[in-house]
């Protein structure tokens, strides 16, 4: 996740990066004893932070067939041998995605997204340029599977208007499509529960299944949020502020988990 | 014991244009580079390629214009970039592409490996991936249906049985009994789904070595048609326990893959300009470079 | 890391009468003897038991009158004889029995493990096994159908998801990461099909041992609810790499199992007459006997 | 397979056992380079004999998940660790029975039988006593799978009238049920091709799918065969004699393959 500065005042607290707030907010969404599937980047950083703080018995699975890795060096992706290190099991898609995810025992999926719309539908396949021209990107890999089958989905992404459109350019991974319930959609997993951006933590309304604001990060103004969101989202009367990472969380992130700032830039 | 060790050019000559080949790489790990280079040198055309998560190997084949139909679960070169040649071919509609997901493509291979002509899955539902499959060349491979016992809605997937499955492994004996170190993504299902199966091995061991830990035999020899012995056969991608990816060369590749003209230069220099994989390894920096990349025995990279 | 090591009596107390338990033994190999003895001592009744190839463990449970419903692919004690208690219960119709085959029961577990509610198979067709399933208690678990792509005739099987799957392994860590040496029959599919999963391990190792060869982890710890540490927990059946079967005791068992009255004597002496598995091992001949049976490290028996 | 002497003159050649003729005849049915699934006992003995003579590249699979074992000691069954020794692969049912047999790559299945009828249907489940009482035996295990799915099936069994009835008491593993073709029965495998007994080698008529006599073992009279067979079988005008094991085959069987006469009794 490469950070390119936009038009908004992301970083009002000079000592704390937006990515650090995101990682800490992500970690708080994970509970001790849960089984999660994580994508690389901030999801992995957040899961390691959770494991080193309140959730020591978290089980982290990677779709490629790796369980509970404890990398010594920062990997560049899922295919990097660095992320295989000190795992407790090496298997493959059939085991992780079949015998765990499809089996229904994965509590949370934790992924990034290219685009996410007001019903939590995710696009990782293509971008439509203003000219109407289509540019393909990576496709689903395990994204659609995780969004379809995990008990809940947590998405972590940059907060930009074009990345949060009313409807995604390609519905790669279903959320609450057209505002319908997961039962109506014949999907086993519970669907998206949180979207963690560099401006806010978002949730989903239990009735309308549309995105709603849960908390604003410190220093972010509501107008900024609205301006940078491509759809209208439910805003509560009292808007909580996302807690900052604790001193210990910051120390772990900076000194142990991503000291070279590969993902926390 | 049958000795199945063959050279890469010998094996590639037996793969006709128009074949469906399945590649066992994943992004920048254990890619079939030596085989793909030879497919390009021998100009095998109109290929159908299938792969779970498309990597450098498929990107090379597509960039070289040899692929007519691509069946994939996703694709990337991790943080080195996207699969530019594949994405460009899709943008310009010069490639038929069937998109799946990691699990659904694995299930299609699993069905093939098990001799089931179909298998159900609970992914894909309510997605545009399924809609596009139903509207395009994938229509004959997916069908919505219900479980006869529970009434639950499923997508039924047709088995995928490539003409030739190719997988890069760390260890094989001369008969083709293979060990794979590190995670195995869809390698086992993909390999066993193939009507023919070719392995590229970093190291050839005596069968006695295999017999010391038979629980590690992921692919048994009788399934294997040919064993290609090609050390560093996956460079610039990584082989866990053997060598790391060549980050410099991956960056160089991505820079060239961004532009069709520069990609041609890349092919000229590193594929057509090399008689075989040994010459290519020399261009990468030869012995000195591969020693730099050789894996630490504890870390595996 | 969660420490899941529990005693056998503690674990058996959590299995209610009426449960469906799946046993990981095969004929005279890696039977769940310590668990089965404790199930009998605690008189857990009306059990449903499923197993690929029924062995001594299930024969004991059936002989003790605890089993209402048996789901099996076959059964034998190899050349020591048939499973007398099971066969007698079938002869006298005191047991509901669903007969499958090695592959079809494995596929039922596979579907359960993968979270598929059904899976197709090409066995069973044109056999009386299928006819009897369709006419009996198995009717709700099988259905003839055609492949939507090829039109080929299949039997669709309902997934099998035992309440508790139990498997005997050579090596586990305290969290439940397991290694199995030797062939694994349907252990992986059966274990992962279970709603709950309990393992009995010959040896408990530190997690670091598991991390040295993670490709050998057949069951990952997070799937496991409890680890019972019981050396020689499968005697008189064999555990590859640990100990051979106790041929003398197997012959003694078969002699007793032939006659209901003599089988009661066996239970009295070797199950009810023992407070726990250690006492039972003493009756088998204690330390001296287990040392005689201990496996040669090269041969594995 | 415990040998209990019946009423027939099985062993007319004092130096050669009927089981040795059976093993040699079984071995001749296996071709070099084939993939076979074998049951324990004479099938395994025959396959080892084939491998040590004309078929060194035979691949032998055991349903339990063992490939190409080279046992040093005689195993008592498939679950005996002795038969795991020096295998080239240990896996399980899913691999052997699923990814090989169900995949359609197994050339021959080689099994024993409790009963076999005139259409090659096999019973391994139960016996009907003359009183009508049913006695259950072992069930199918992999038998039905092998009979359904292997390209051809070879059965090896004792030749007794009660073991070769007109119709089996329980149709565990289908041959050519009711004389129908395998296509009509929706079975993938080619069906039974040979039945090797201690009196003869039997085949199946290409049109009627009924058992026919291929060769009589040396010293066996046709009347004996007919008397000991529970159905009428097609008998050719010229009846070949089953070849005796060669001196080398006998040496291998007696000195190397089953020196303790566990299966060759």
């Amino acid at each position: 996740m490469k950070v390119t500065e936009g038009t908004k005042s992301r970083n009002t607290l000079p000592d704390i990066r937006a990515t650090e707030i995101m990682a800490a907010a992500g970690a708080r969404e994970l509970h001790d004893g849960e089984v999660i599937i994580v994508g690389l980047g901030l999801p992995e950083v957040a899961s390691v932070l959770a494991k080193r703080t309140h959730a020591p018995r978290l089980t982290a699975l990677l779709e490629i067939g790796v369980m509970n890795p404890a990398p010594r060096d920062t990997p560049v992706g899922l295919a990097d041998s660095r992320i295989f290190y000190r795992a407790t099991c090496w298997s493959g898609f059939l085991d992780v995605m079949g015998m765990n995810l499809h089996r229904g025992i994965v509590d949370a999926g934790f992924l990034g997204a290219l685009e996410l719309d007001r019903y939590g539908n995710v696009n990782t396949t293509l971008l439509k340029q203003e000219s109407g021209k289509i540019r393909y990107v990576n496709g689903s890999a395990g994204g659609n599977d995780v969004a379809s089958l995990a008990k809940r989905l947590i998405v972590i992404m940059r907060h930009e208007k074009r990345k949060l459109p009313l409807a995604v350019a390609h519905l790669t991974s279903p959320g609450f499509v057209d505002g319908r319930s997961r039962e109506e959609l014949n999907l086993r997993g519970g669907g998206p529960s949180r979207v963690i951006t560099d401006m806010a933590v978002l949730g989903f309304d239990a009735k309308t299944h549309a995105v709603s604001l849960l908390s604003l990060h410190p220093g972010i103004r509501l107008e900024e949020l609205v301006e940078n969101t491509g759809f209208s989202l439910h805003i509560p009367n009292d808007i909580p502020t996302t807690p900052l990472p604790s001193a210990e969380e910051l120390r772990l992130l900076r000194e142990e988990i991503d000291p070279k700032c590969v993902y926390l830039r | 014991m049958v000795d199945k060790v063959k050279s890469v050019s010998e094996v590639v000559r037996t793969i006709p244009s128009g074949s469906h080949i399945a590649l066992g790489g994943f992004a920048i790990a254990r890619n079939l580079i030596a085989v793909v280079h030879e497919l390009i040198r021998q100009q095998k055309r109109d290929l159908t390629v299938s792969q779970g998560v498309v990597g450098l190997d498929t990107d090379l084949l597509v960039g070289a214009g040899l692929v007519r139909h691509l069946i994939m679960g996703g694709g990337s070169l991790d943080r080195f970039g996207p699969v530019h040649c594949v994405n460009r071919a899709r943008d310009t509609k010069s490639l038929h592409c069937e998109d799946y997901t990691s699990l659904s493509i694995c299930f299609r291979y699993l069905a093939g490996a098990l001799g089931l002509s179909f298998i159900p899955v609970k992914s894909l539902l309510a997605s545009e991936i399924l809609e596009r499959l139903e509207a395009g060349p994938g229509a004959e491979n997916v069908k919505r249906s219900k479980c006869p016992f529970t009434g639950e809605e499923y997508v039924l997937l047709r088995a995928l049985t490539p003409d030739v499955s190719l997988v890069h492994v760390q260890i094989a004996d001369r008969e083709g009994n293979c060990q794979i170190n590190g995670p195995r993504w869809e390698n086992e299902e993909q390999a066993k789904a193939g009507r023919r199966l070719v392995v590229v091995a970093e190291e050839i061991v005596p069968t006695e070595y295999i017999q010391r830990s038979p629980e590690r035999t992921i692919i048994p020899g009788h399934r294997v048609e040919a064993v290609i012995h090609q050390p560093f056969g996956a460079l610039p991608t990584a082989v866990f326990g053997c060598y790391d990816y060549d980050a410099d060369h991956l960056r160089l590749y991505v820079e060239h893959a961004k532009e069709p003209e520069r990609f041609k230069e890349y092919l000229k220099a590193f594929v057509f300009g090399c008689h075989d994989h040994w010459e290519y390894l020399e261009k990468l920096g030869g012995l000195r470079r591969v020693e730099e990349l050789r894996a630490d025995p504890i870390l595996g990279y």
Side-chain angles (χ1 to χ4, degrees), chain A, chain B:
Chain A
M1 185 186 239
K2 203 167 182 179
V3 173
T4 49
E5 279 306 317
T7 55
K8 40 192 167 137
S9 58
R10 280 166 204 282
N11 209 337
T12 50
L13 294 153
D15 285 350
I16 301 181
R17 286 197 185 87
T19 50
E20 291 167 338
I21 298 174
M22 293 165 85
R28 280 191 293 272
E29 294 297 330
L30 305 174
H31 312 304
D32 198 21
E34 287 193 322
V35 177
I36 62 171
I37 291 192
V38 290
L40 210 78
L42 282 181
E44 213 242 338
V45 168
S47 74
V48 175
L49 181 62
K51 201 159 178 164
R52 302 239 181 127
T53 53
H54 63 282
R57 295 173 302 179
L58 200 64
T59 296
L61 312 179
L62 307 180
E63 67 168 59
I64 194 169
V66 174
M67 301 189 188
N68 294 309
R72 206 189 71 158
D73 301 304
T74 309
V76 298
L78 279 190
D80 188 338
S81 307
R82 283 157 189 76
I83 206 162
F84 308 166
Y85 187 59
R86 285 181 66 79
T88 53
C89 177
W90 288 330
S91 53
F93 285 169
L94 190 68
D95 185 31
V96 170
M97 304 300 272
M99 295 186 174
N100 284 278
L101 180 66
H102 202 276
R103 178 73 174 90
I105 65 133
V106 171
D107 297 299
F110 199 166
L111 303 174
L114 202 61
E115 286 184 346
L116 178 139
D117 70 19
R118 74 181 290 221
Y119 291 121
N121 301 306
V122 169
N123 171 19
T124 52
T125 301
L126 56 83
L127 288 174
K128 263 191 191 130
Q129 294 177 319
E130 281 180 31
S131 64
K133 213 179 147 189
I134 283 170
R135 295 293 301 265
Y136 278 86
V137 198
N138 291 348
S140 163
N144 171 282
D145 305 311
V146 171
S148 299
L149 293 158
K151 290 184 194 165
R152 68 182 193 279
L153 179 69
I154 305 161
V155 175
I156 201 158
M157 64 190 295
R158 295 277 292 179
H159 206 122
E160 294 174 21
K161 193 162 189 164
R162 60 178 185 89
K163 292 174 79 70
L164 294 160
L166 185 60
V168 286
H170 181 279
L171 203 166
T172 310
S173 304
F176 302 100
V177 183
D178 300 331
R180 283 184 289 167
S181 74
R182 300 286 285 187
E183 292 68 31
E184 282 178 85
L185 297 168
N186 291 302
L187 296 168
R188 283 188 182 166
S193 70
R194 291 290 181 274
V195 183
I196 295 161
T197 74
D198 49 351
M199 301 186 90
V201 176
L202 311 174
F204 291 84
D205 185 86
K207 273 188 194 160
T208 66
H209 301 302
V211 170
S212 62
L213 175 62
L214 294 185
S215 69
L216 271 179
H217 295 347
I220 304 289
R221 286 174 298 112
L222 181 60
E223 303 80 69
E224 281 182 287
L225 180 89
V226 170
E227 207 174 280
N228 284 283
T229 307
F231 47 81
S232 66
L233 75 178
H234 177 258
I235 291 157
N237 291 335
D238 289 319
I239 304 174
T241 300
T242 314
L244 285 177
S246 69
E248 173 61 7
E249 283 173 327
L250 283 176
R251 191 195 64 76
L252 283 166
L253 287 172
R254 292 171 182 184
E255 293 177 18
E256 297 187 11
I257 300 172
D258 188 14
K260 289 183 189 162
C261 258
V262 175
Y263 298 105
L264 289 172
R265 279 188 294 193
Chain B
M1 225 279 294
V2 199
D3 189 336
K4 298 176 182 169
V5 177
K6 292 196 174 69
S7 76
V8 64
S9 65
E10 217 178 334
V11 170
V12 169
R13 275 197 296 275
T14 70
I15 302 175
S17 285
S19 295
H20 171 185
I21 62 171
L23 297 178
F26 181 118
I28 55 164
R30 284 199 281 111
N31 277 211
L32 274 297
I33 300 300
V35 171
V36 155
H37 282 187
E38 187 62 24
L39 283 162
I40 297 172
R41 277 191 291 264
Q42 293 192 22
Q43 286 290 295
K44 303 291 183 171
R45 300 196 162 271
D46 294 322
L47 298 175
T48 293
V49 174
S50 64
Q51 191 167 27
V53 173
V54 155
L56 182 65
D57 42 10
T58 295
D59 203 50
L60 273 163
L61 281 180
V62 171
L66 303 186
V67 183
R68 193 178 50 81
H69 188 167
L70 180 59
I71 300 166
M72 63 184 258
S76 115
L77 301 181
D78 280 347
R79 282 174 77 88
F80 293 100
V83 278
H84 284 296
C85 296
V86 170
N87 291 342
R88 188 167 50 243
R90 302 191 69 179
D91 294 346
T92 57
K93 294 185 178 143
S94 60
L95 180 68
H96 282 294
C97 197
E98 272 182 72
D99 272 297
Y100 293 90
T101 66
S102 295
L103 182 63
S104 55
I105 200 163
C106 178
F107 270 18
R108 288 197 66 190
Y109 286 130
L110 174 68
L114 287 171
L116 295 170
S117 53
F118 71 106
I119 192 164
V121 74
K122 283 293 293 177
S123 299
L124 301 178
L125 287 162
S127 79
E128 205 170 331
I129 303 176
L130 181 58
E131 284 171 21
R132 285 183 176 223
L133 284 168
E134 290 172 330
E140 59 184 24
N141 300 322
V142 294
K143 191 172 159 46
R144 296 174 201 244
S145 186
K146 285 189 198 307
C147 171
F149 304 113
T150 64
E152 196 180 5
E153 180 104 358
Y154 278 90
V155 178
L156 304 185
L157 302 167
R158 188 196 283 264
L160 200 52
T161 51
D163 295 317
V164 192
S165 286
L166 296 132
V167 59
H168 191 100
V169 305
Q170 285 91 347
I171 284 167
D173 70 7
R174 304 187 78 84
E175 198 176 355
N177 293 294
C178 298
Q179 294 183 352
I180 295 176
N181 295 326
R184 301 180 291 273
W185 41 97
E186 82 280 16
N187 281 165
E188 183 178 352
E189 295 75 29
Q190 186 192 52
K192 293 178 180 176
R195 296 164 196 272
R196 297 167 56 197
L197 170 53
V198 172
V199 302
V200 180
E202 286 293 327
E203 194 180 353
I204 302 280
V205 296
T207 297
E208 272 193 61
Y209 182 95
I210 298 293
Q211 288 167 319
R212 278 191 206 167
S213 45
E215 74 285 345
R216 300 209 49 198
T217 305
I218 298 297
I219 300 166
H222 69 275
R223 301 298 301 274
V224 174
E225 180 182 304
V227 179
I228 297 168
H229 182 209
Q230 182 57 67
F232 307 101
L235 271 179
T237 70
V239 174
F240 181 76
C242 295
Y243 45 88
D244 203 359
Y245 48 81
D246 185 336
D248 294 345
H249 192 83
L250 283 172
R251 275 188 287 265
L252 178 141
Y253 175 84
V254 170
E255 277 313 304
H256 284 81
K258 278 178 187 164
E259 297 290 337
E261 284 311 310
R262 296 206 67 197
F263 183 75
K264 280 185 194 161
E265 288 167 28
Y266 179 91
L267 286 186
K268 199 173 162 190
F270 292 100
V271 183
F272 295 114
C274 302
H275 177 256
D276 62 16
H277 200 74
W278 297 108
E279 269 190 44
Y280 161 78
L281 291 173
E282 289 304 323
K283 290 217 172 163
L284 255 52
L287 187 54
R288 180 178 189 146
R289 184 64 180 147
V290 303
E291 285 303 325
E292 285 167 1
L293 297 170
R294 195 183 288 279
D296 174 288
I298 296 297
L299 296 172
Y301 55 86

